[in-house]
Every structure is written in C-alpha cells, then in structure tokens.
Amino acid sequence: MAPQTFAQKAIARAAGRAEVAVGEIVDARPDLILSHDNTAAIARMFYQLGLKRVKDPDRLAITLDHAVPPPTPRHAQNHAEIRRFVAEQGVRHFFEAGRGICHQVLSEEALVLPGQMILGADSHTTHFGWMGAFGAGVGRSEVLALWATGEIWLRVPESIRIVLEGRMPAGVTTKDLCLRIFGDLGADGGLYRSVEFAGPGVHALSIESRMTLTNFMAEFGVKNAYLPPDDAVFDWLAPRRARRTGEPTEAVWERIAAGALYPDPDALYEAECVYRLDDLEPMVACPHSVDHVKPLREVAGTRVDMAFIGTCTNGRLEDIAAAAEILRGRRIAPGVRLLVIPASSEVLQEALRRGYIQALVEAGAMIGVPGCGPCMGNHMGIPAPGEVVISSGSRNFRGRMGTPEAEIYLASPAVVAASALRGRITDPREVLSPVRA
C-alpha cells in the first residue's frame, strides 16, 4: 500500500476503501451532515424535488445559530420551518436557538470523533480537524444530496504539511499564527488542499487554541485541516461522549483513541512549511482582506469605534478569559462599544461561574446570546458607515458585518480587548501588568 496522508486515510475510510489516490474522485459516506439556519432553504429544495424522507435522520445535525434570536419576521419564519422539518424527519440532533454556534456545539456534544468525516453547509466545518476528524464545507445542493442518498462524490485533495515547533509566547495565540500563514501564503494558498499540521508545537496548544487553528483555516481556502489527536483530545471528548451513550468513560476513551487516524511518516505532500511558535508576534488583518496582514506594531494606534469578541473562530472560554483578564477592574475607552458573544451556552455558563462575564460587564461590555452575532451582518452589532471595527471573527471583506463603508480589522480576542480599553489598536502585552502576564 502506498503511503497515505490523513486526508487519503479519512476519505478511504468514508468510502469503504483500503486506500485512495490523490486526485481520485470517490463516493464517500460521512458520519455526520451539518446544517444550520440554511436548513429551511435546503428543505424547500428537498420537498420541491418530490423527496419525502431523508436517508438517515440520525446522521443529521441541525443548529439554529446564525440569526438568534431572530431579528425579523422572515428569520423567525425560517426558524419555524426548520422546527417543522426536524419534527417531520425525526432529527434527534437538533439544537435550539441559544445553544450556540454549530461547530462549537457539535464539538461539546461529541457527535463527531477522531477519524470520522463531517460534511456541512458551512465553510468553517474545517473546525473539526482540531480532533483529527475530516471536516469540510459543502454547498446546499450537496447537503440536499446527502440527505437523499447519504453519500456524495469527493475529490481526494493534495496535502500541505505545516510543522509547528516551540511554544507560543505570552500574548500570542493561534489566531496570530493563522494570520501569519495567510500573510505569508495568501488567502488562496491552501485552495482545496488538506492542510495537515505536525510537530511538537501542536501538542503544546490548548484544545480551544486547536479549535481556532483549524476553524480559521477555512479562510486559507482549504478543503479540510487536521491536527494529530493526542491524549488531551481523547480526555476532552471521552466524558462528553460517555454522557451521551451511558458507557464507562474509560471504554469510550479507548474506542475514541482506536479510531484516530494519523498520516504515514513517508506520506507525500505538495509542500511543507515550518513555523517556530516562539518567533510569533501579535498580527492584524487589515481591511478588506484576510491576507492583508501586518504585525500589530505597524498598525498600533489606529482608532477603534467598535470591538467584537466572538464567532466560531474565537468565542470560546479561553478567549473570554483573556478579555476579562485585561479588562477586570478597568473601563473601556469612551466612545467605544465592546460586544462579547460566547460561542455556546456551555461557554456562557462557565464564564458566568468564573466571574468573567461580571468583569466584562463592569468594564462596559455588552453580552450577546450565544450564536454568530454580527459576524455576517445579520444583527446584534452592525457598525455605522465610516466606523472602524476590531473583531475576533474570521472575515473582514467589505460589507461582511453589514456595512460596506465600515473598516474591519481582525485580531485575537486579547488584542480586541486591549484595543477596546485604549480606544485604539493596542498590543495586549502593553496593558497586562507583570503580575497578570
């Protein structure tokens, strides 16, 4: 058997094959099929084709997250249609408005496991590579086909290997690593590629940092992203999966570990890059492209009108903790709005328990319902024309947050919090005391 990359092994498993070749088109059967608020549009097409029943409702996972609570009657009607579809089709894995963003929620629910495949009608389905799963975004028509048949054609992608060495310095995050990669290689540098991370630096990353890394790789154009799963991943998933199945956690842990996939040591890659994490510094993506990247020091001092911490890329507990650490006992700058939206109800509850939410509210922040918030310009924090936004989100193209005349800078949650504190783009290392740092 020829040496195989992770993508080859994962697609071969989903296709029921021993191996597949790069460039080959195969018929794959994913373990889970994801949709969110776009479920209503897919369902309308499904019924218009005369289809009655989905192939396997237990492989569907549907989350209301993009416009929650619904900001208009049209959005409310959309949600009502989805609830009817869920009831008609007997979909068990349905998560109501307020539970959180699909990728975060499905991770917390341990519905996807290492080595499995999830295909979703959302580009950031690359997220699930944090655990060593094959996650890829597909179109609505592809999801319709998956509902109807349970299978889909996939082309086996070429793979790029990115080796991580060392450890992140204080004040630097995987958001900065991603921005550095985009700046170096371009927003289309990973187009339809499997980006497979490796090296000792991977295992030094927290679970939540790994989620940011693979989620944000969607902006690199990748088909999927992959991090080799280790004990930390199995420890995170096993008790969550055990709660779902009622099995002993130890038995679940063993089964999860046994299902993990790793690339062969001599697998062939299209390209290889090496990044020393110790050498990274805070980075910022400037308007209006995710690869218009500069070191923060080059844009420090830029005025900020609105700051946003959240989205599927950076709305997790460690992100909110970083902001609370910077803002505790302080007030955001006059004239600045700070909006913080946890990625899930689980994140919100834990942030409340630890006092992070209180610290942020006392600093002047607004707290939103778990979900996508203003990331795609639906509601809950649309900037005015001419305003400058610094966001922990994933996209900053013109009009992304609903206002074409606004300027959006992308950065880590720590940078966003520090910038809200000062009213201008600020390195978080400047505002953390030596004790706090």
Coordinates of all heavy atoms in Angstrom, one line a residue, residues 20 33 120 132-133 136 221 245 247 251-252 358 397 422:
V20 N -6.9 5.4 -1.2 CA -7.3 6.2 -2.3 C -6.1 7.0 -2.8 O -5.2 7.2 -2.0 CB -8.5 7.1 -2.0 CG1 -9.8 6.4 -1.6 CG2 -8.1 8.1 -0.8
I33 N -23.8 15.0 9.0 CA -24.2 16.0 8.0 C -24.7 17.2 8.7 O -25.8 17.1 9.4 CB -25.2 15.5 7.0 CG1 -24.7 14.2 6.3 CG2 -25.5 16.5 5.9 CD1 -25.8 13.3 5.7
G120 N -20.6 19.7 6.0 CA -21.6 20.7 6.5 C -21.8 21.8 5.5 O -20.9 22.2 4.8
G132 N -8.8 15.8 14.9 CA -8.4 14.8 13.9 C -9.5 14.2 13.1 O -9.4 13.0 12.7
A133 N -10.6 14.9 13.0 CA -11.7 14.5 12.1 C -11.6 15.2 10.8 O -10.9 16.2 10.7 CB -13.0 14.8 12.7
A136 N -15.4 19.2 6.3 CA -15.3 20.0 5.1 C -16.7 20.7 4.8 O -17.7 20.1 5.1 CB -14.9 19.2 3.9
G221 N -8.7 28.8 2.3 CA -9.3 28.1 1.1 C -9.2 26.6 1.2 O -9.4 25.9 0.2
T245 N -23.8 8.2 25.6 CA -24.0 6.8 25.4 C -24.3 6.0 26.7 O -24.8 4.9 26.6 CB -22.8 6.2 24.7 OG1 -21.7 6.3 25.6 CG2 -22.5 6.9 23.4
E247 N -22.0 4.8 28.6 CA -20.9 3.8 28.8 C -19.9 4.4 29.7 O -19.8 5.6 30.0 CB -20.3 3.6 27.4 CG -21.2 3.0 26.3 CD -20.4 3.0 25.0 OE1 -19.7 2.0 24.7 OE2 -20.5 4.0 24.3
A251 N -13.9 3.1 28.7 CA -14.2 2.3 27.5 C -14.4 3.2 26.3 O -13.9 2.9 25.2 CB -15.4 1.4 27.7
V252 N -15.0 4.3 26.5 CA -15.2 5.3 25.4 C -13.9 5.9 25.0 O -13.6 6.0 23.8 CB -16.2 6.4 25.8 CG1 -16.3 7.5 24.8 CG2 -17.6 5.8 26.1
Q358 N -19.1 39.0 34.6 CA -19.2 40.2 35.5 C -18.1 41.2 35.3 O -18.4 42.4 35.2 CB -19.2 39.7 37.0 CG -19.4 40.8 38.0 CD -19.4 40.4 39.4 OE1 -19.6 39.2 39.7 NE2 -19.3 41.3 40.3
F397 N -14.0 41.2 4.7 CA -14.2 41.8 3.4 C -15.2 42.9 3.5 O -16.1 42.9 4.4 CB -14.5 40.8 2.3 CG -15.7 39.9 2.6 CD1 -17.0 40.4 2.5 CD2 -15.6 38.6 3.1 CE1 -18.1 39.6 2.7 CE2 -16.7 37.8 3.3 CZ -17.9 38.3 3.2
R422 N -8.2 50.9 25.3 CA -7.4 52.1 24.9 C -8.1 53.0 23.9 O -7.8 54.2 23.7 CB -6.0 51.7 24.4 CG -5.1 51.1 25.4 CD -4.3 52.2 26.1 NE -3.4 51.7 27.1 CZ -2.1 51.3 26.9 NH1 -1.6 51.4 25.6 NH2 -1.3 50.9 27.8

